[in-house]
Amino acid sequence: MNATGNLRYILNDTPKIQNETGHRVLSIFSQNVDKDYKNGIDALYTAAQFNVVRHSTKQWKLHHKDKKTQSEHLIFSFSDDEFDLSSPQVQARQAVELVGDFLKNWLGPTSQFVAVAQDDNVGHKLHVHAIVNSVNKGGKVLNTSLVTQTGKNGIRENFNQYLEQNFQKVTGRTFTRLQPKQPAKSVVTTPNQQTAKAMNGGYSWKDELQTLIDSALANNTDMRSFKDELESNGVTITTKKARIGFNDDGTKIYRDKFSYHFVDSKGKKRQSVDFSRTKTGHLRGLGTKYTPDAIQRQLDLNYRQSGQDTINSVQNAVDQTLADLDNAVSQAVSANATSDTPQQSQIDSSASVDSSVPADEIERQVASVAQRRRRNRQERVTAETDTNFERQDGPRMLMHTLSRTKTSQQIENTNKVADKGQTTKPGSQSNNDDLEL
């Protein structure tokens, strides 16, 4: 709210703790800020320049109303692995150069800011304060999302990407990104939710809502049925767009956002978004597990799992049927091979074979009969098709029928030759023509 106070705090305040240099300011970087007569950056002179730029907006020109938020205060803190302060002055210049160049590219050439490197905090870490004017040169208001968004496309992630590309160029050392600690669970209990549970004897309407959503999520495989089950339990869902950042060209990036509405067990109407953060970084909503993308992924997983279960069930049934059939055939073959007197072996409650025939001959006959049945079934389908399908072009239809007849004859001759190389002479009859299984 007070740009002058911010600038005086980072430029003119005394060191909080005694450091190696004895100075609070180790190095300075600025953009669109004039230096004073001593060729330095003065707090009051810089604040006056900020003031002139803020008064270039249309709101000031028409109504003489200054912006309530005069500046944005950013702090870029580095770890000991990045800057160990073995050479404070050199490393301070490197740190402020990295931060300043990043802000020039991130905020644009018309932004107005001052960046100062310091190391006089209690943890004795090298850090950079940046005071950014809330209005850019030319009268356009600063896009505050660029400095407040901390998500996937926010300032922190983009600064890490910038360091990965430029840290070694400036310092001569490799950059290793620090991974921030993540919550243990995807469902985050906010401070407000904890307070509500304490005041209501352990009851929380958000817990009740999460239980209903989890149950519907576990029982369904598509979004429509998921929403239908929630509606049957009194929970309705509305979908809106939520901004999550900006592309490189400055266009806004949106995602689908679910809002859940229901009446809790105490009769009160409740509403909650899936997941969001405030500008200060506080959590709101139910958690990342309840976003549309996360729910769709879980539903797809349920669908794949149910399909695999069905496939496994059918496969097991087929395998069992084939095993039973193989077992029955093996028992029949074994009984006929070891018996000296003619007897009947029942296969599948209908088949009888001559026990005097060798076992390998029985197997050949069984395969031949099965093959004959398939061929007869194919010929019956062909005959029915030729009878029912009438066309006016007689010669073409006749050629089609002759070609099909020839194909069937070729198949029959091929099958006869395939029976262990034995062929049937013209006028003779195969010894298994009348065998039926």
Side-chain angles (χ1 to χ4, degrees), residues 347-386:
I347 303 176
D348 225 8
S349 69
S350 65
S352 63
V353 295
D354 188 358
S355 61
S356 62
V357 182
D360 58 346
E361 181 65 20
I362 293 176
E363 293 182 1
R364 187 189 67 79
Q365 290 177 3
V366 170
S368 178
V369 170
Q371 189 177 39
R372 185 184 298 279
R373 283 190 169 184
R374 288 194 297 271
R375 184 170 64 251
N376 291 341
R377 204 161 38 242
Q378 179 180 358
E379 290 176 351
R380 284 198 301 271
V381 174
T382 302
E384 291 175 1
T385 304
D386 291 340

Side-chain angles (χ1 to χ4, degrees), residues 40-209:
I41 300 295
D42 180 74
L44 296 180
Y45 186 41
T46 303
Q49 297 177 61
F50 275 32
N51 190 58
V52 171
V53 172
R54 286 200 312 276
H55 291 174
S56 63
T57 61
K58 291 182 180 179
Q59 184 179 11
W60 175 265
K61 293 178 181 178
L62 293 176
H63 307 290
H64 286 276
K65 294 181 65 175
D66 201 354
K67 281 184 61 63
K68 185 177 181 180
T69 301
Q70 297 182 0
S71 63
E72 300 287 345
H73 184 184
L74 310 176
I75 303 176
F76 298 79
S77 185
F78 296 93
S79 69
D80 292 335
D81 293 334
E82 293 162 343
F83 292 106
D84 58 5
L85 291 177
S86 58
S87 179
Q89 294 288 2
V90 174
Q91 292 182 349
R93 286 195 298 270
Q94 294 172 349
V96 81
E97 179 183 349
L98 288 168
V99 172
D101 187 64
F102 166 74
L103 290 177
K104 286 174 58 177
N105 292 279
W106 181 244
L107 301 179
T110 60
S111 61
Q112 188 178 36
F113 65 85
V114 174
V116 174
Q118 301 176 356
D119 70 340
D120 63 336
N121 55 346
V122 176
H124 200 53
K125 308 289 185 183
L126 184 62
H127 58 281
V128 176
H129 290 269
I131 307 299
V132 185
N133 198 0
S134 60
V135 178
N136 296 334
K137 289 192 67 175
K140 187 175 180 179
V141 176
L142 175 72
N143 183 0
T144 55
S145 295
L146 294 176
V147 295
T148 58
Q149 177 66 27
T150 58
K152 180 179 179 180
N153 297 290
I155 185 171
R156 179 189 177 105
E157 174 64 22
N158 280 272
F159 184 56
N160 278 329
Q161 293 177 6
Y162 173 86
L163 292 179
E164 288 175 345
Q165 299 173 3
N166 298 276
F167 187 84
Q168 189 170 8
K169 298 177 183 178
V170 176
T171 65
R173 294 178 286 108
T174 57
F175 173 75
T176 302
R177 180 190 292 227
L178 290 178
Q179 297 297 332
K181 294 182 179 180
Q182 299 295 333
K185 299 180 179 179
S186 60
V187 180
V188 181
T189 303
T190 63
N192 292 337
Q193 190 173 354
Q194 295 172 358
T195 303
K197 291 180 68 174
M199 295 177 62
N200 290 277
Y203 169 78
S204 171
W205 63 267
K206 284 191 176 181
D207 289 344
E208 181 182 355
L209 177 58

Side-chain angles (χ1 to χ4, degrees), residues 328-346:
V329 171
S330 298
Q331 291 177 359
V333 172
S334 177
N336 283 283
T338 58
S339 177
D340 295 333
T341 59
Q343 62 179 4
Q344 287 186 338
S345 297
Q346 192 156 6

